């Protein structure tokens, strides 16, 4: 229920940060003269935006009360970032570069609020941020639908052999006079297993409910609310059961030391030979060498990946030589509206942190 509420508020902020009733960042309330600070631009706080392409929606919110400093280089030049972060009060961390002691030291002890513009925060040294008692926000929820749409796209593309089909055209091997040519896996009546069943996993399950699937299994540390289980006809199972019984295995969990590399040869050997793996979470949750072997030997049917290890993936990577894998360059949240919403939520997080208020979506 709480998830739903946050989802709703987040969606509202995304559409319009000015709708009355929305829990505005305190700093955006009229005047805000209570802050007993003055800066060169007459603004209460100095905020670094670490990426030049952060959508304007978030920048405009910050500008109302803050002097903005912005990194200009893309890809981000670390030296520029470390130079510009010095002395700032808040940071909107727009990219996926390491947010670690080096950056925090460069900023200095006055830093009091940080938000990433991402759901996953595996590139943040969270213990280090926590140790310094700096509130940290991130932007889950607003990207659930965009990532879920893409996951369903990958699931269909991998199960119906889009990549291999396209290659037959390129190679003048269009052979549909064979009745068993390019046969794929059905989604209807299938069991879909989620490794991680938070907001993104549930948004994928919601979309798949229109595909006449039979059941949903999920593996998580904690059981999800009963009403969510009922809504998706979902059952919590252990990892081995998930692997053995799922026709589609969807990875939708954060990357942590516990999830890193869990999809390895042992796991693939427990999956159905007809199974399709989809990963929209993080590349490192999968042992990519083992995945390559499992796909090449047809130990599993196919895979659809939005994330790889490393990123960017080399065009020479052996994974790309396979017919039965669809690989995308980590574009799960890459829609105009989603990125705008992410910048809005991140800006609210930063402003709330500066005001000493709870962030809209705290990371810890
Ligand atoms: O925001 C994130 O963490 C993503 O990886 C979106 O795809």
């Amino acid at each position: 229920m709480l998830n739903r509420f946050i989802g709703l508020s987040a969606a509202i902020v995304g559409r319009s940060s000015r709708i009355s009733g929305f829990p505005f960042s305190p700093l955006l309330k009229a005047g805000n003269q209570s802050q007993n600070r003055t800066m060169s631009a007459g603004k209460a706080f100095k905020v670094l935006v670490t990426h030049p392409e952060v959508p304007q929606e978030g920048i405009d919110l910050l500008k109302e009360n803050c002097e903005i400093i912005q990194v200009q280089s893309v890809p981000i030049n670390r030296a520029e970032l470390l130079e510009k972060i010095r002395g700032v009060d808040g940071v909107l961390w727009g990219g996926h570069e390491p947010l670690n002691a080096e950056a925090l030291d460069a900023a200095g002890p006055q830093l009091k609020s940080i938000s990433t513009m991402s759901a996953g925060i595996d590139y943040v040294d969270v213990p280090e941020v926590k140790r310094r008692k700096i509130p940290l926000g991130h932007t889950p929820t607003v990207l659930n639908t965009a990532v879920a749409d893409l996951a369903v796209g990958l699931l269909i593309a991998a199960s119906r052999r889009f990549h291999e089909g396209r290659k037959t055209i390129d190679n003048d091997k269009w052979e549909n006079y064979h009745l068993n040519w390019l046969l794929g896996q059905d989604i209807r009546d299938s069991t879909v297993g989620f490794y991680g069943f938070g907001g993104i996993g549930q948004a994928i399950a919601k979309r798949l409910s229109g595909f006449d699937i039979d059941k949903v299994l999920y593996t998580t540390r904690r059981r999800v609310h009963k009403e969510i289980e009922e809504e998706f006809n979902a059952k919590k199972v252990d990892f081995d059961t998930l692997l053995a019984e799922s026709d589609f295995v969807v990875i939708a969990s954060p990357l942590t030391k516990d999830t890193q590399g869990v999809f390895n040869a042992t796991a693939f050997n427990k999956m159905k030979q007809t199974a399709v793996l989809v990963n929209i979470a993080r590349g490192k949750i999968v042992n990519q060498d083992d995945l390559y072997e499992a796909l090449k030997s047809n130990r599993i049917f196919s895979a659809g990946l939005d994330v790889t290890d490393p990123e960017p993936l080399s065009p020479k990577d052996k994974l790309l030589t396979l017919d039965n894998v669809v690989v995308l360059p980590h574009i799960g949240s890459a829609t105009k509206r989603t990125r705008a919403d992410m910048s809005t939520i991140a800006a609210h997080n930063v402003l709330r942190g500066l005001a000493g208020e709870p962030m809209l979506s705290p990371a810890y």
Side-chain angles (χ1 to χ4, degrees), residues 15-307:
R15 276 196 287 283
S16 166
S17 56
R18 307 247 161 250
I19 292 178
S20 66
F22 173 73
F24 287 119
S25 299
L27 288 183
L28 291 178
K29 286 179 184 155
N32 185 38
Q33 297 312 320
S34 59
Q35 305 300 333
N36 196 13
R37 297 194 47 182
T38 15
M39 311 247 2
S40 53
K43 302 282 173 79
F45 294 105
K46 215 166 160 180
V47 170
L48 174 71
V49 176
T50 69
H51 200 294
E53 292 160 1
V54 167
Q56 199 57 36
E57 286 81 350
I59 308 276
D60 287 346
L61 287 174
L62 290 171
K63 262 189 189 158
E64 293 188 22
N65 284 78
C66 307
E67 179 192 341
I68 309 286
I69 302 156
Q70 201 157 2
V71 170
Q72 297 301 331
S73 51
V74 194
I76 304 305
N77 175 322
R78 185 79 176 172
E80 183 191 351
L81 190 154
L82 295 178
E83 167 66 29
K84 288 188 168 167
I85 203 169
R86 195 176 308 146
V88 300
D89 303 288
V91 179
L92 193 163
W93 197 271
H96 287 201
E97 300 73 35
L99 170 42
N100 54 15
E102 178 192 43
L104 298 169
D105 284 344
Q110 77 299 325
L111 180 59
K112 56 180 77 56
S113 181
I114 308 174
S115 180
T116 71
M117 218 184 86
S118 64
I121 50 166
D122 41 286
Y123 54 91
V124 181
D125 185 344
V126 177
E128 190 59 38
V129 179
K130 255 188 189 171
R131 194 179 68 73
R132 296 170 192 237
K133 298 191 175 54
I134 304 171
L136 175 70
H138 66 147
T139 61
T141 315
V142 277
L143 47 70
N144 289 357
T145 55
V147 177
D149 291 349
L150 193 94
V152 173
L154 280 171
L155 189 147
I156 298 172
S159 60
R160 299 301 301 275
R161 305 168 74 166
F162 282 14
H163 174 64
E164 190 179 352
R166 170 60 200 258
K167 275 173 75 178
T168 67
I169 303 172
D170 291 344
N171 298 327
D172 200 14
K173 291 263 190 284
W174 187 315
E175 295 174 358
N176 64 355
Y177 42 83
H178 290 301
L179 291 184
N180 61 356
W181 190 58
L182 284 178
L183 299 187
Q185 304 296 336
D186 281 298
I187 303 177
R188 70 177 161 148
D189 298 330
S190 67
T191 296
V192 182
F194 288 90
Y195 183 75
F197 199 49
I200 293 177
Q202 289 164 32
I204 299 168
K206 183 174 171 195
R207 281 153 179 72
L208 290 177
S209 65
F211 285 77
D212 304 326
I213 60 173
D214 182 35
K215 55 177 183 280
V216 168
L217 303 177
Y218 72 92
T219 298
T220 51
R221 269 186 309 168
R222 263 177 263 118
R223 198 171 156 185
V224 301
H225 286 155
K226 203 160 168 279
E227 66 190 64
I228 291 170
E229 285 190 345
E230 282 167 8
E231 180 178 347
F232 297 113
N233 186 22
K235 189 172 155 208
K236 183 172 180 335
V237 292
D238 61 37
F239 188 43
D240 282 358
T241 306
L242 186 93
L243 296 171
E245 294 188 8
S246 301
D247 299 297
F248 297 92
V249 176
V250 180
I251 304 174
S253 74
L255 171 66
T256 65
K257 61 179 178 6
D258 297 327
T259 65
Q260 180 157 356
V262 295
F263 281 83
N264 55 19
T266 311
F268 296 130
N269 284 332
K270 291 176 181 165
M271 286 170 68
K272 294 184 182 181
Q273 208 174 348
T274 51
V276 173
L277 180 76
V278 172
N279 188 6
I280 45 76
R282 285 294 181 265
K284 283 188 193 301
I285 298 172
V286 173
N287 179 318
Q288 210 161 276
D289 285 333
D290 291 358
L291 175 63
Y292 171 81
E293 294 302 333
L295 290 168
K296 190 169 170 59
S297 61
N298 296 312
R299 180 60 201 80
I300 65 171
F301 185 76
S302 65
L305 312 174
D306 184 40
V307 287

Side-chain angles (χ1 to χ4, degrees), residues 300-321:
I300 65 171
F301 185 76
S302 65
L305 312 174
D306 184 40
V307 287
T308 57
D309 179 25
E311 290 179 9
L313 190 66
S314 161
K316 295 198 174 72
D317 195 283
K318 61 185 175 186
L319 198 63
L320 301 176
T321 64

Side-chain angles (χ1 to χ4, degrees), residues 335-355:
T335 73
K336 205 164 185 315
R337 177 168 154 193
T338 300
R339 288 280 161 83
D341 289 356
M342 289 163 79
S343 81
T344 301
I345 301 288
H348 277 282
N349 281 338
V350 171
L351 291 167
R352 284 176 159 258
L354 291 173

